[in-house]
PDB file of all heavy atoms in Angstrom:
ATOM      1  N   LEU A 222      38.109  14.400  10.962  1.00  0.00           N
ATOM      2  CA  LEU A 222      37.300  15.499  11.476  1.00  0.00           C
ATOM      3  C   LEU A 222      35.908  15.006  11.878  1.00  0.00           C
ATOM      4  O   LEU A 222      35.338  15.455  12.876  1.00  0.00           O
ATOM      5  CB  LEU A 222      37.181  16.596  10.408  1.00  0.00           C
ATOM      6  CG  LEU A 222      36.864  17.999  10.904  1.00  0.00           C
ATOM      7  CD1 LEU A 222      37.996  18.523  11.775  1.00  0.00           C
ATOM      8  CD2 LEU A 222      36.630  18.943   9.734  1.00  0.00           C
ATOM      9  N   LEU A 225      36.074  13.419  15.240  1.00  0.00           N
ATOM     10  CA  LEU A 225      36.218  14.441  16.271  1.00  0.00           C
ATOM     11  C   LEU A 225      34.853  15.047  16.608  1.00  0.00           C
ATOM     12  O   LEU A 225      34.518  15.228  17.787  1.00  0.00           O
ATOM     13  CB  LEU A 225      37.178  15.533  15.798  1.00  0.00           C
ATOM     14  CG  LEU A 225      37.402  16.710  16.758  1.00  0.00           C
ATOM     15  CD1 LEU A 225      37.992  16.226  18.085  1.00  0.00           C
ATOM     16  CD2 LEU A 225      38.311  17.760  16.114  1.00  0.00           C
ATOM     17  N   GLN A 229      32.827  14.774  20.206  1.00  0.00           N
ATOM     18  CA  GLN A 229      32.385  15.966  20.924  1.00  0.00           C
ATOM     19  C   GLN A 229      30.884  15.933  21.204  1.00  0.00           C
ATOM     20  O   GLN A 229      30.427  16.406  22.246  1.00  0.00           O
ATOM     21  CB  GLN A 229      32.742  17.225  20.118  1.00  0.00           C
ATOM     22  CG  GLN A 229      34.242  17.496  20.069  1.00  0.00           C
ATOM     23  CD  GLN A 229      34.571  18.802  19.394  1.00  0.00           C
ATOM     24  OE1 GLN A 229      33.700  19.617  19.092  1.00  0.00           O
ATOM     25  NE2 GLN A 229      35.850  19.028  19.141  1.00  0.00           N
ATOM     26  N   VAL A 411      27.823  21.768  11.405  1.00  0.00           N
ATOM     27  CA  VAL A 411      29.278  21.681  11.292  1.00  0.00           C
ATOM     28  C   VAL A 411      29.644  21.554   9.820  1.00  0.00           C
ATOM     29  O   VAL A 411      29.234  20.616   9.138  1.00  0.00           O
ATOM     30  CB  VAL A 411      29.842  20.486  12.085  1.00  0.00           C
ATOM     31  CG1 VAL A 411      31.371  20.471  11.988  1.00  0.00           C
ATOM     32  CG2 VAL A 411      29.407  20.545  13.548  1.00  0.00           C
ATOM     33  N   ALA A 412      30.402  22.511   9.323  1.00  0.00           N
ATOM     34  CA  ALA A 412      30.835  22.514   7.929  1.00  0.00           C
ATOM     35  C   ALA A 412      31.955  21.499   7.711  1.00  0.00           C
ATOM     36  O   ALA A 412      32.572  21.015   8.675  1.00  0.00           O
ATOM     37  CB  ALA A 412      31.296  23.916   7.543  1.00  0.00           C
ATOM     38  N   PRO A 413      32.260  21.168   6.455  1.00  0.00           N
ATOM     39  CA  PRO A 413      33.304  20.171   6.179  1.00  0.00           C
ATOM     40  C   PRO A 413      34.683  20.522   6.725  1.00  0.00           C
ATOM     41  O   PRO A 413      35.489  19.623   6.978  1.00  0.00           O
ATOM     42  CB  PRO A 413      33.335  20.115   4.642  1.00  0.00           C
ATOM     43  CG  PRO A 413      31.953  20.490   4.236  1.00  0.00           C
ATOM     44  CD  PRO A 413      31.539  21.554   5.219  1.00  0.00           C
ATOM     45  N   ASP A 414      34.966  21.810   6.925  1.00  0.00           N
ATOM     46  CA  ASP A 414      36.263  22.201   7.471  1.00  0.00           C
ATOM     47  C   ASP A 414      36.239  22.324   8.992  1.00  0.00           C
ATOM     48  O   ASP A 414      37.234  22.727   9.596  1.00  0.00           O
ATOM     49  CB  ASP A 414      36.738  23.506   6.842  1.00  0.00           C
ATOM     50  CG  ASP A 414      35.787  24.674   7.095  1.00  0.00           C
ATOM     51  OD1 ASP A 414      34.749  24.473   7.762  1.00  0.00           O
ATOM     52  OD2 ASP A 414      36.084  25.794   6.633  1.00  0.00           O
ATOM     53  N   GLY A 415      35.096  21.989   9.606  1.00  0.00           N
ATOM     54  CA  GLY A 415      35.010  22.017  11.066  1.00  0.00           C
ATOM     55  C   GLY A 415      34.404  23.277  11.640  1.00  0.00           C
ATOM     56  O   GLY A 415      34.176  23.360  12.856  1.00  0.00           O
ATOM     57  N   GLU A 416      34.110  24.273  10.808  1.00  0.00           N
ATOM     58  CA  GLU A 416      33.492  25.502  11.305  1.00  0.00           C
ATOM     59  C   GLU A 416      32.082  25.201  11.809  1.00  0.00           C
ATOM     60  O   GLU A 416      31.350  24.389  11.227  1.00  0.00           O
ATOM     61  CB  GLU A 416      33.441  26.568  10.214  1.00  0.00           C
ATOM     62  CG  GLU A 416      34.797  27.157   9.846  1.00  0.00           C
ATOM     63  CD  GLU A 416      35.420  27.956  10.978  1.00  0.00           C
ATOM     64  OE1 GLU A 416      34.793  28.935  11.431  1.00  0.00           O
ATOM     65  OE2 GLU A 416      36.537  27.594  11.407  1.00  0.00           O
ATOM     66  N   ILE A 417      31.703  25.870  12.887  1.00  0.00           N
ATOM     67  CA  ILE A 417      30.419  25.632  13.544  1.00  0.00           C
ATOM     68  C   ILE A 417      29.507  26.831  13.298  1.00  0.00           C
ATOM     69  O   ILE A 417      29.908  27.977  13.529  1.00  0.00           O
ATOM     70  CB  ILE A 417      30.607  25.443  15.063  1.00  0.00           C
ATOM     71  CG1 ILE A 417      31.682  24.388  15.357  1.00  0.00           C
ATOM     72  CG2 ILE A 417      29.288  25.066  15.730  1.00  0.00           C
ATOM     73  CD1 ILE A 417      32.185  24.415  16.795  1.00  0.00           C
ATOM     74  N   SER A 428      30.397  32.217  12.144  1.00  0.00           N
ATOM     75  CA  SER A 428      31.002  31.019  12.715  1.00  0.00           C
ATOM     76  C   SER A 428      31.060  31.171  14.228  1.00  0.00           C
ATOM     77  O   SER A 428      31.404  32.233  14.745  1.00  0.00           O
ATOM     78  CB  SER A 428      32.410  30.816  12.163  1.00  0.00           C
ATOM     79  OG  SER A 428      33.076  29.792  12.868  1.00  0.00           O
ATOM     80  N   LEU A 429      30.707  30.106  14.930  1.00  0.00           N
ATOM     81  CA  LEU A 429      30.797  30.098  16.389  1.00  0.00           C
ATOM     82  C   LEU A 429      32.159  29.609  16.852  1.00  0.00           C
ATOM     83  O   LEU A 429      32.470  29.668  18.040  1.00  0.00           O
ATOM     84  CB  LEU A 429      29.705  29.196  16.968  1.00  0.00           C
ATOM     85  CG  LEU A 429      28.262  29.580  16.645  1.00  0.00           C
ATOM     86  CD1 LEU A 429      27.299  28.520  17.190  1.00  0.00           C
ATOM     87  CD2 LEU A 429      27.913  30.954  17.185  1.00  0.00           C
ATOM     88  N   GLY A 430      32.952  29.095  15.909  1.00  0.00           N
ATOM     89  CA  GLY A 430      34.248  28.522  16.229  1.00  0.00           C
ATOM     90  C   GLY A 430      34.521  27.352  15.302  1.00  0.00           C
ATOM     91  O   GLY A 430      33.817  27.148  14.310  1.00  0.00           O
ATOM     92  N   ASN A 431      35.541  26.577  15.636  1.00  0.00           N
ATOM     93  CA  ASN A 431      35.886  25.407  14.831  1.00  0.00           C
ATOM     94  C   ASN A 431      36.119  24.228  15.776  1.00  0.00           C
ATOM     95  O   ASN A 431      36.755  24.398  16.828  1.00  0.00           O
ATOM     96  CB  ASN A 431      37.138  25.673  14.002  1.00  0.00           C
ATOM     97  CG  ASN A 431      37.381  24.596  12.955  1.00  0.00           C
ATOM     98  OD1 ASN A 431      37.672  23.437  13.269  1.00  0.00           O
ATOM     99  ND2 ASN A 431      37.271  24.972  11.682  1.00  0.00           N
ATOM    100  N   ILE A 432      35.597  23.057  15.428  1.00  0.00           N
ATOM    101  CA  ILE A 432      35.687  21.922  16.338  1.00  0.00           C
ATOM    102  C   ILE A 432      37.127  21.492  16.594  1.00  0.00           C
ATOM    103  O   ILE A 432      37.393  20.751  17.541  1.00  0.00           O
ATOM    104  CB  ILE A 432      34.881  20.703  15.835  1.00  0.00           C
ATOM    105  CG1 ILE A 432      35.404  20.189  14.483  1.00  0.00           C
ATOM    106  CG2 ILE A 432      33.402  21.039  15.748  1.00  0.00           C
ATOM    107  CD1 ILE A 432      34.787  18.869  14.066  1.00  0.00           C
ATOM    108  N   GLN A 433      38.059  21.987  15.790  1.00  0.00           N
ATOM    109  CA  GLN A 433      39.469  21.648  16.008  1.00  0.00           C
ATOM    110  C   GLN A 433      40.082  22.433  17.158  1.00  0.00           C
ATOM    111  O   GLN A 433      41.133  22.057  17.678  1.00  0.00           O
ATOM    112  CB  GLN A 433      40.264  21.881  14.716  1.00  0.00           C
ATOM    113  CG  GLN A 433      39.810  20.972  13.586  1.00  0.00           C
ATOM    114  CD  GLN A 433      40.496  21.292  12.277  1.00  0.00           C
ATOM    115  OE1 GLN A 433      41.548  20.722  11.947  1.00  0.00           O
ATOM    116  NE2 GLN A 433      39.911  22.196  11.525  1.00  0.00           N
ATOM    117  N   ASN A 434      39.420  23.531  17.562  1.00  0.00           N
ATOM    118  CA  ASN A 434      39.926  24.286  18.712  1.00  0.00           C
ATOM    119  C   ASN A 434      38.828  24.730  19.669  1.00  0.00           C
ATOM    120  O   ASN A 434      39.088  25.456  20.626  1.00  0.00           O
ATOM    121  CB  ASN A 434      40.737  25.506  18.250  1.00  0.00           C
ATOM    122  CG  ASN A 434      40.008  26.317  17.191  1.00  0.00           C
ATOM    123  OD1 ASN A 434      38.835  26.615  17.340  1.00  0.00           O
ATOM    124  ND2 ASN A 434      40.720  26.650  16.118  1.00  0.00           N
ATOM    125  N   MET A 435      37.575  24.303  19.386  1.00  0.00           N
ATOM    126  CA  MET A 435      36.460  24.607  20.286  1.00  0.00           C
ATOM    127  C   MET A 435      35.468  23.453  20.270  1.00  0.00           C
ATOM    128  O   MET A 435      35.018  23.035  19.204  1.00  0.00           O
ATOM    129  CB  MET A 435      35.745  25.892  19.860  1.00  0.00           C
ATOM    130  CG  MET A 435      34.500  26.191  20.693  1.00  0.00           C
ATOM    131  SD  MET A 435      33.606  27.666  20.150  1.00  0.00           S
ATOM    132  CE  MET A 435      34.684  28.951  20.762  1.00  0.00           C
ATOM    133  N   ALA A 436      35.145  22.929  21.427  1.00  0.00           N
ATOM    134  CA  ALA A 436      34.203  21.819  21.501  1.00  0.00           C
ATOM    135  C   ALA A 436      32.801  22.289  21.133  1.00  0.00           C
ATOM    136  O   ALA A 436      32.438  23.447  21.349  1.00  0.00           O
ATOM    137  CB  ALA A 436      34.199  21.224  22.911  1.00  0.00           C
ATOM    138  N   LEU A 437      32.008  21.381  20.599  1.00  0.00           N
ATOM    139  CA  LEU A 437      30.634  21.709  20.233  1.00  0.00           C
ATOM    140  C   LEU A 437      29.824  22.180  21.440  1.00  0.00           C
ATOM    141  O   LEU A 437      28.982  23.068  21.324  1.00  0.00           O
ATOM    142  CB  LEU A 437      29.960  20.497  19.588  1.00  0.00           C
ATOM    143  CG  LEU A 437      30.274  20.267  18.107  1.00  0.00           C
ATOM    144  CD1 LEU A 437      29.764  18.901  17.673  1.00  0.00           C
ATOM    145  CD2 LEU A 437      29.669  21.365  17.244  1.00  0.00           C
ATOM    146  N   GLU A 439      30.976  23.815  23.929  1.00  0.00           N
ATOM    147  CA  GLU A 439      31.408  25.186  24.210  1.00  0.00           C
ATOM    148  C   GLU A 439      30.751  26.165  23.242  1.00  0.00           C
ATOM    149  O   GLU A 439      30.314  27.249  23.637  1.00  0.00           O
ATOM    150  CB  GLU A 439      32.932  25.282  24.098  1.00  0.00           C
ATOM    151  CG  GLU A 439      33.495  26.642  24.464  1.00  0.00           C
ATOM    152  CD  GLU A 439      35.002  26.700  24.316  1.00  0.00           C
ATOM    153  OE1 GLU A 439      35.627  25.644  24.082  1.00  0.00           O
ATOM    154  OE2 GLU A 439      35.557  27.821  24.424  1.00  0.00           O
ATOM    155  N   ALA A 440      30.661  25.780  21.971  1.00  0.00           N
ATOM    156  CA  ALA A 440      30.017  26.638  20.976  1.00  0.00           C
ATOM    157  C   ALA A 440      28.532  26.784  21.276  1.00  0.00           C
ATOM    158  O   ALA A 440      27.960  27.870  21.161  1.00  0.00           O
ATOM    159  CB  ALA A 440      30.218  26.059  19.582  1.00  0.00           C
TER     160      ALA A 440
END
Side-chain angles (χ1 to χ4, degrees):
L222 203 64
L225 178 61
Q229 290 186 9
V411 182
D414 61 0
E416 289 294 301
I417 309 165
S428 170
L429 300 175
N431 191 293
I432 62 171
Q433 297 174 92
N434 49 47
M435 175 183 285
L437 279 169
E439 184 181 352

